[in-house]
Amino acid sequence: QVQLVESGEGLVQAGGSLRLSCAASGRTPSRYAMGWFRQAPGKEREFVAGISWNGGNTYYTDSVKGRFLISRDNARNTGYLQMNSLKPEDTAVYYCATKASLLLVRSPGEYDFWGQGTQVTVSS
């Protein structure tokens, strides 16, 4: 089993920034992709950003391109989501997820393990 713990939740004003972290522990694969998802009240969980096992490939949903940056530190088994220029529509519970894969993965159904989620609230 792999345990994922997100941190960095917060309440910020529109235009502000937050950085989320996702620490992996337990029987982590030697190579795994990581993704960030979010779910707003009454909406389905949506893909936000993904990163391949070595950080060589990243992908963002259109609504966050140019504002969010996904990264990872494999030595620390930790992933990050830097969120800048936040908008009220970014308000959601954010989840990180991992999959034993060399490649970037976008479909939530393909991920093996999930964190418990962390709340991000952006006020207007």
Side-chain angles (χ1 to χ4, degrees):
Q1 289 288 334
V2 174
Q3 292 78 45
L4 301 175
V5 178
E6 299 106 335
S7 60
E9 70 176 34
L11 167 63
V12 296
Q13 290 188 332
S17 298
L18 277 176
R19 189 176 83 154
L20 304 182
S21 299
C22 175
S25 62
R27 302 179 69 176
T28 54
S30 59
R31 299 177 179 183
Y32 60 93
M34 180 176 284
W36 287 92
F37 294 79
R38 65 187 180 188
Q39 188 165 20
K43 295 188 177 181
E44 293 187 353
R45 189 170 298 188
E46 67 167 340
F47 173 85
V48 175
I51 189 167
S52 59
W53 75 276
N54 63 353
N57 288 297
T58 58
Y59 188 87
Y60 301 88
T61 193
D62 286 346
S63 62
V64 308
K65 284 180 181 177
R67 300 189 297 122
F68 289 14
L69 179 68
I70 188 171
S71 62
R72 64 190 296 164
D73 182 344
N74 286 346
R76 298 175 183 266
N77 270 333
T78 300
Y80 305 95
L81 185 67
Q82 177 67 44
M83 305 184 293
N84 300 319
S85 302
L86 283 162
K87 304 176 181 181
E89 51 263 43
D90 294 318
T91 296
V93 176
Y94 283 71
Y95 300 88
C96 66
T98 60
K99 175 179 174 60
S101 169
L102 299 179
L103 304 177
L104 183 154
V105 179
R106 280 185 273 172
S107 171
E110 295 189 53
Y111 280 84
D112 303 316
F113 298 100
W114 291 81
Q116 81 286 355
T118 189
Q119 178 70 47
V120 172
T121 303
V122 184
S123 63
S124 57

